[in-house]
Amino acid sequence: RSGGRDIEILDTDLRVRKVKSVSANSFRLSLVYRDLILFSRDPGQWSQLIVIAALVIIYVFNFKNLPYELYGFQYSMSFVSVGASGLILAALLARFGFPAVSTEGKSIWILKTSPINWRKYLWTKFFFLVIPAALVGVILVLFSVRILDAGTSLVIKCLIAEIAIAAGCTGLAVGMGATRPRFDMSDAAMVAVSGTGLWYMLFAIIFILLTINLVILPDLLRYLSVGFKILVMIRHTDKILVWIILTVLTGLVVYIPMKLGIRNLRKLS
């Protein structure tokens, strides 16, 4: 009897877990679907993307007129393109990522009164934005470095740096936007120019500069090791160390703002 009862209890637990898993997935999908519908119905948002896309095309094709024959120009401009693409992403996320929670507007009371998991809610917002942000960044960098005719290893470095920038800036935008949501504003663009929005841009710029400098560091150490013996000893492990530091830094830049945003949202319930 006890064996049969244990099997029944185990079967019940498995069914409950399955129902919870299905409900969690349906919540995420419905949230993403709702955001897509709201975005498509707001001409003020997708029309701005057309203007930004036109400016990006002008930016990319201006690389054709640059003096490639200068020594070290190709290498330098490859990372300049990473920084410029990162700033474009930061600006886009300030417009679309930072107000992601604030766009709930007056309907936030529905979420407040429902048994919502704020952690799943905010992380769904994050993944909804980080994928297109990374795609935009990768496309911009690929166009730029291909026009510069950069080598494969340099292209890979630039792409990894841009993906890290996309993830970090998305975490900063969504997380910091959730710490000071403005549900009383009807225009999402006004949320981005608030005090917290300016702090977001400052932290995003600092993170972009840190990322680029970290990726450049192994090559800089290799160049300096010609004259400094102590640097010869560490140049064989500098790449691994730099990628570990970059991974940890990006993880912290994503996790800390998201954690603060989730904590603030839980206070609303």
Side-chain angles (χ1 to χ4, degrees):
R1 287 183 181 180
S2 60
R5 190 174 298 173
D6 290 340
I7 293 173
E8 289 179 3
I9 293 172
L10 180 61
D11 186 53
T12 304
D13 289 341
L14 290 173
R15 288 179 182 178
V16 170
R17 289 178 184 177
K18 188 175 181 180
V19 169
K20 286 182 178 180
S21 177
V22 171
S23 61
N25 291 330
S26 62
F27 168 74
R28 295 189 186 99
L29 290 174
S30 61
L31 188 61
V32 169
Y33 178 74
R34 188 206 61 172
D35 286 345
L36 285 172
I37 293 295
L38 291 175
F39 178 79
S40 62
R41 289 179 178 177
D42 188 358
Q45 295 200 48
W46 54 259
S47 60
Q48 291 180 8
L49 282 180
I50 298 174
V51 177
I52 293 170
L55 294 173
V56 166
I57 291 170
I58 295 171
Y59 152 77
V60 169
F61 284 98
N62 273 337
F63 271 79
K64 290 184 176 180
N65 301 320
L66 296 173
Y68 305 110
E69 65 277 2
L70 295 177
Y71 175 76
F73 184 82
Q74 184 187 72
Y75 182 87
S76 303
M77 286 307 299
S78 295
F79 286 103
V80 168
S81 71
V82 172
S85 302
L87 290 174
I88 291 171
L89 284 182
L92 283 172
L93 289 165
R95 175 61 184 84
F96 300 104
F98 188 81
V101 177
S102 299
T103 50
E104 298 291 347
K106 294 180 180 179
S107 62
I108 190 64
W109 68 269
I110 300 174
L111 296 176
K112 286 182 182 180
T113 55
S114 62
I116 188 172
N117 188 322
W118 290 108
R119 183 177 62 83
K120 291 178 181 178
Y121 168 82
L122 203 61
W123 280 109
T124 301
K125 293 276 188 182
F126 170 82
F127 286 111
F128 175 72
L129 290 164
V130 74
I131 295 173
L135 285 174
V136 170
V138 166
I139 291 169
L140 286 175
V141 170
L142 276 178
F143 269 108
S144 302
V145 296
R146 282 306 174 189
I147 290 173
L148 292 168
D149 197 24
T152 304
S153 62
L154 185 57
V155 172
I156 292 172
K157 288 179 185 178
C158 292
L159 289 177
I160 292 174
E162 194 63 30
I163 291 170
I165 288 171
C169 288
T170 305
L172 280 170
V174 177
M176 292 185 70
T179 58
R180 292 290 187 275
R182 299 294 301 273
F183 302 115
D184 56 328
M185 287 189 177
S186 57
D187 187 4
M190 297 301 295
V191 180
V193 296
S194 63
T196 312
L198 296 176
W199 278 110
Y200 153 71
M201 283 302 300
L202 177 62
F203 286 132
I205 292 170
I206 292 172
F207 174 66
I208 291 168
L209 292 175
L210 283 174
T211 301
I212 293 172
N213 281 289
L214 271 174
V215 176
I216 293 174
L217 187 61
D219 295 325
L220 180 63
L221 289 176
R222 195 167 291 105
Y223 176 76
L224 293 176
S225 64
V226 177
F228 297 94
K229 293 183 179 180
I230 190 170
L231 294 176
V232 177
M233 299 166 58
I234 64 172
R235 71 176 182 177
H236 299 293
T237 58
D238 55 1
K239 286 185 179 180
I240 299 173
L241 184 61
V242 162
W243 295 127
I244 292 173
I245 293 172
L246 181 60
T247 303
V248 173
L249 176 65
T250 305
L252 290 174
V253 169
V254 171
Y255 178 76
I256 293 174
M258 292 291 290
K259 184 71 173 179
L260 295 174
I262 293 167
R263 184 183 301 173
N264 183 66
L265 290 176
R266 283 173 176 166
K267 294 178 182 178
L268 299 175
S269 302

